[in-house]
Amino acid sequence: MPTQCVALNKLEKRGEMFGMYTYQGIVKRVIDGDTCVVEVALGFYIVATLPVRLLGINAPELRGETREAGIAARDFLASLIEGKKVQLITFKNPGDKYGRWLGVLHLWNQSDPMNGSVNDRMVEAGHAVTYLKTKAPATLKVP
């Protein structure tokens, strides 16, 4: 089944669609233009609060010469998702030194639960660029 996210479509074509899981959650806070914290419902009344790096995009940094663009990207992402219910498609990158989950976010809409990737919206709005350097891992371990 094709997804509605450019990054996942590219990974699918490259044969790197391993360890994919889908969850519902609520975005608790936005850290920067490509990272947020999501309270994820794991099922059986188990909830985990996880840092999520938006898969397939790269936003400007909040420090250095890209500071202004980084702040604009963070604020745009916050306006889209902070405090809102989302559908999260995740990958765990064992090499991520920050311990973040790689994921694609979709705003949750009862009539259309997969109504477009937030990741793609960031690129379309000019607040991020497509970035597919990281390979999806072969397995995903739930903490």
Side-chain angles (χ1 to χ4, degrees):
M1 174 177 139
T3 64
Q4 294 186 9
C5 174
V6 172
L8 289 182
N9 287 335
K10 287 182 181 179
L11 289 173
E12 189 172 53
K13 286 179 186 173
R14 290 179 2 194
E16 298 175 16
M17 292 295 291
F18 304 104
M20 184 173 78
Y21 294 85
T22 303
Y23 304 96
Q24 290 182 23
I26 297 174
V27 177
K28 291 305 197 179
R29 72 184 178 102
V30 171
I31 296 170
D32 60 25
D34 51 30
T35 308
C36 61
V37 176
V38 181
E39 187 176 86
V40 180
L42 300 173
F44 302 105
Y45 304 104
I46 299 171
V47 176
T49 302
L50 306 171
V52 175
R53 170 71 159 79
L54 300 184
L55 176 69
I57 70 168
N58 192 30
E61 298 302 323
L62 292 171
R63 297 179 185 182
E65 45 186 71
T66 63
R67 179 174 166 68
E68 286 184 33
I71 291 170
R74 179 198 61 200
D75 293 348
F76 181 77
L77 182 60
S79 73
L80 284 177
I81 63 172
E82 201 162 58
K84 296 183 181 164
K85 190 173 180 182
V86 293
Q87 187 94 17
L88 170 64
I89 301 170
T90 63
F91 295 90
K92 176 62 176 153
N93 178 357
D96 185 3
K97 64 183 178 181
Y98 302 108
R100 299 173 298 186
W101 292 77
L102 296 177
V104 175
L105 293 178
H106 294 268
L107 287 173
W108 184 258
N109 178 330
Q110 294 299 333
S111 62
D112 182 12
M114 299 298 275
N115 64 358
S117 159
V118 170
N119 305 41
D120 288 346
R121 287 187 192 184
M122 290 296 291
V123 173
E124 290 164 5
H127 290 292
V129 295
T130 302
Y131 179 77
L132 289 174
K133 185 176 178 182
T134 305
K135 285 187 172 186
T139 61
L140 178 68
K141 297 177 184 175
V142 177

